[in-house]
Amino acid sequence: MEKDNSGMRSHPGQYSFMQLTSLVILRLLIGWHFLYEGFAKVFNPSWSAAPFLLDSKGIFSKFFLAMAHNPHILSLVDISNELGLIAIGLGLMTGTLTRTASAFGILLIILYYCATPPFIGYTYLVPMEGSYMIVNKNIIEAWALVVLIIFPTGHIIGFDRLLFPNKKTSIKS
Amino acid sequence: MEVIRMSQDEHTENNQQATQEPEKKRYFDRRDILKGLATIPVVGFFFAKLYKSWLLVSMQKSQSERLLSDLGLNGAAPAVLPSGTLKKSGQLLRLGIIGCGSRGEYLLRAAGFAHPTWLESMKKAAIENKLDKRYEDFINQDDLNIVFNGICDVFDVRAESALETVRKGSNKGKENKTAKRYRRYKDMLESDDIDAVIVATPEHWHAQMAIDAAGAGKHL
C-alpha cells in the first residue's frame, strides 16, 4: 500500500469509511437474505424446488422441467439449493471466501432468473409479489453481488482478513 | 473521492508496523481480530432470530400434529388403496346421486359409469394418440360392485344424460334398467332401493342434503 506524506491513503483500492460501511452493509443484507432463504427451506420438510421448476417458462424451461421430472436429480437440486443458500449466506455475512460466495450466489440467482424469467407474456402459477418486466429483484440482487465482487470487503471486514493475512496488506483500511 | 481520515494514533501505529514489517506480518494484531470478526454480532443476531422462528415453526407443527391425533388422523394412511385390498362383500351397494352437473358426471365416472358419448370420444382419442390413456384407465377401473338406482336433478338435459350413464355406461358392461330419475332429492331419500347417496350439488346445499340423507337413514 502506498501512502503519501500526509498519511492519507491514496491507493486506488482504498475505500473511504462511508464507502466501506455501505459495501459491508450491502454484503450483510444479501448474506442475511440467502441465509434465511436456506434455513426457511430446511425448516419446511415438505419444501421442494419441484413446483418452482415445473412452472418454468422460456427457452431454458426444458432443462428445468427435466430436473423436476427426475426424482434423483430433484432431491440433489433440493439439497444443494438449501446447503448452497446457507453456505453463501454465511460466507457473505462473515466475510469468508467472500468473492467465491458472491460468484456462487450470482450463479444461483441466474438459475432462478432463467427458470422463471419475467418476460412479457409469461405468467406463473405463483404470482410474483411485485410487477416486473425483464428486470426483477433477482437480477438486481445478482448485480449487487457483481458489485461486491468488484468492490470486495471480506479481506477488510471479515474472516478473509484472518484467512488471507497477506492480502490485507495490499488494500488495508 | 472522500479519503479515510486516520487518527494520529493510527498513523503512528502504522509507522511502527512499517518498521516491524517482517515479524508483524505473521501475527494478527488486535485490529485484525476486531475487523475480521466485526460482522459476527450481526450473524449472532440472525441466529437468535432464527431460533425464535424455529420455535414458532415447531410449535405450529406440534399443534397441527395434536389436532390430527385428536381427530384420529395421524396414522399414515395410503393415499391410494392398493388394488386387491378391497374385498368384495358380495352385497351390491345401491346408490343415488343428487346433482348431475359436471361434478356429478365426474363422480359417476370415478365410480365406473360414463356416458356412451364420452366413452366414444375417449375411444377415438386413444386411437389418435397412443399416449392418451383415459379410455384404458376408465375401462380398467376396479369393479366397485355398485349400482345407481336413482339420479336426481332439476335440469332435464343433465338428468337424462345421467340416467343414460347409469343405465348403460358401466365400465364393466353391466346394465341397470331399474334406475329412476327424481326431481326432488327428498323423494329419492325416501326410496327403499337406495342405500347411500352422493351429493354433487352446489356447496350451499351440501349441509341440508347431508342432514336429510342421514335423517332418512342413507349413507353419504
Side-chain angles (χ1 to χ4, degrees):
Chain A
M1 181 182 68
E2 295 297 321
K3 276 199 270 314
D4 63 15
N5 291 337
S6 67
M8 295 282 190
R9 290 154 216 208
S10 56
H11 190 280
Q14 283 290 302
Y15 300 129
S16 73
F17 176 75
M18 288 308 284
Q19 286 168 337
L20 181 66
T21 308
S22 49
L23 283 170
V24 170
I25 290 175
L26 177 64
R27 204 186 79 204
L28 284 171
L29 294 175
I30 299 177
W32 182 294
H33 181 213
F34 269 83
L35 198 54
Y36 188 65
E37 280 283 9
F39 276 112
K41 288 169 175 62
V42 172
F43 284 174
N44 179 2
S46 58
W47 175 84
S48 166
F52 174 77
L53 294 172
L54 288 172
D55 204 15
S56 178
K57 304 261 158 63
I59 50 167
F60 299 110
S61 62
K62 274 188 183 158
F63 168 69
F64 293 106
L65 287 175
M67 272 185 183
H69 285 308
N70 186 325
H72 300 292
I73 293 180
L74 184 64
S75 58
L76 193 74
V77 166
D78 286 349
I79 291 169
S80 52
N81 194 27
E82 289 171 347
L83 296 184
L85 285 167
I86 291 173
I88 293 165
L90 280 177
L92 289 172
M93 286 192 82
T94 60
T96 312
L97 302 171
T98 322
R99 281 179 141 165
T100 318
S102 306
F104 277 103
I106 294 168
L107 180 76
L108 260 188
I109 298 179
I110 294 293
L111 282 173
Y112 302 151
Y113 183 86
C114 290
T116 54
F119 292 167
I120 298 160
Y122 288 7
T123 50
Y124 296 100
L125 291 177
V126 181
M128 294 182 193
E129 86 285 31
S131 309
Y132 305 110
M133 182 183 70
I134 302 169
V135 174
N136 64 5
K137 288 180 192 170
N138 279 346
I139 210 78
I140 297 170
E141 194 168 20
W143 197 256
L145 285 172
V146 172
V147 171
L148 289 182
I149 289 184
I150 296 171
F151 295 98
T153 51
H155 61 286
I156 306 168
I157 301 289
F159 269 155
D160 283 346
R161 188 183 183 108
L162 308 175
L163 284 176
F164 310 105
N166 293 330
K167 214 177 164 189
K168 72 174 190 215
T169 53
S170 61
I171 310 172
K172 190 170 177 175
S173 172
Chain B
M1 186 172 90
E2 190 194 334
V3 176
I4 195 160
R5 258 175 280 137
M6 289 194 337
S7 67
Q8 192 58 41
D9 286 355
E10 254 186 312
H11 188 191
T12 46
E13 197 186 308
N14 273 325
N15 278 351
Q16 277 167 7
Q17 259 180 9
T19 51
Q20 300 166 358
E21 194 78 7
E23 10 169 359
K24 260 272 174 188
K25 236 182 161 179
R26 264 179 261 150
Y27 301 100
F28 303 124
D29 56 19
R30 191 177 55 94
R31 180 188 309 276
D32 287 334
I33 306 282
L34 283 176
K35 289 195 169 177
L37 304 177
T39 57
I40 296 302
V42 186
V43 178
F45 180 65
F46 175 90
F47 279 101
K49 289 287 166 192
L50 189 71
Y51 178 65
K52 218 172 160 187
S53 112
W54 178 76
L55 281 182
L56 191 72
V57 167
S58 47
M59 195 185 77
Q60 284 165 344
K61 203 178 150 197
S62 68
Q63 266 177 350
S64 73
E65 270 168 8
R66 216 175 315 137
L67 184 69
L68 286 174
S69 88
D70 286 352
L71 295 169
L73 298 171
N74 54 342
V80 177
L81 289 171
S83 61
T85 51
L86 293 168
K87 276 189 192 155
K88 280 177 199 155
S89 64
Q91 208 178 344
L92 188 71
L93 187 63
R94 302 164 306 165
L95 299 172
I97 183 164
I98 312 173
C100 306
S102 57
R103 174 59 54 170
E105 198 183 318
Y106 171 78
L107 289 172
L108 282 176
R109 274 210 296 279
F113 296 86
H115 193 268
T117 324
W118 183 87
L119 265 182
E120 232 11 83
S121 68
M122 286 305 120
K123 220 179 198 171
K124 217 182 260 176
I127 293 166
E128 281 167 14
N129 179 4
K130 279 184 184 171
L131 294 173
D132 193 333
K133 301 281 182 207
R134 286 175 293 179
Y135 179 74
E136 196 187 319
D137 287 346
F138 176 73
I139 294 298
N140 291 334
Q141 261 177 225
D142 281 345
D143 183 1
L144 300 178
N145 199 25
I146 54 172
V147 71
F148 280 87
N149 277 343
I151 64 107
C152 175
D153 203 302
V154 284
F155 186 15
D156 289 344
V157 176
R158 302 271 202 208
E160 293 303 324
S161 159
L163 203 57
E164 211 181 338
T165 302
V166 298
R167 278 184 171 164
K168 38 190 174 175
S170 158
N171 65 338
K172 301 297 172 197
K174 287 185 286 190
E175 281 196 25
N176 171 25
K177 287 186 179 132
T178 57
K180 270 195 289 190
R181 185 235 169 144
Y182 296 86
R183 283 174 196 277
R184 295 163 190 273
Y185 76 94
K186 283 186 179 167
D187 292 347
M188 190 166 86
L189 292 177
E190 278 168 15
S191 157
D192 287 334
D193 64 347
I194 286 170
D195 305 313
V197 288
I198 293 174
V199 177
T201 53
E203 279 89 341
H204 62 273
W205 275 105
H206 288 184
Q208 190 56 54
M209 287 173 169
I211 292 164
D212 290 341
K218 307 293 183 198
H219 294 279
L220 200 66

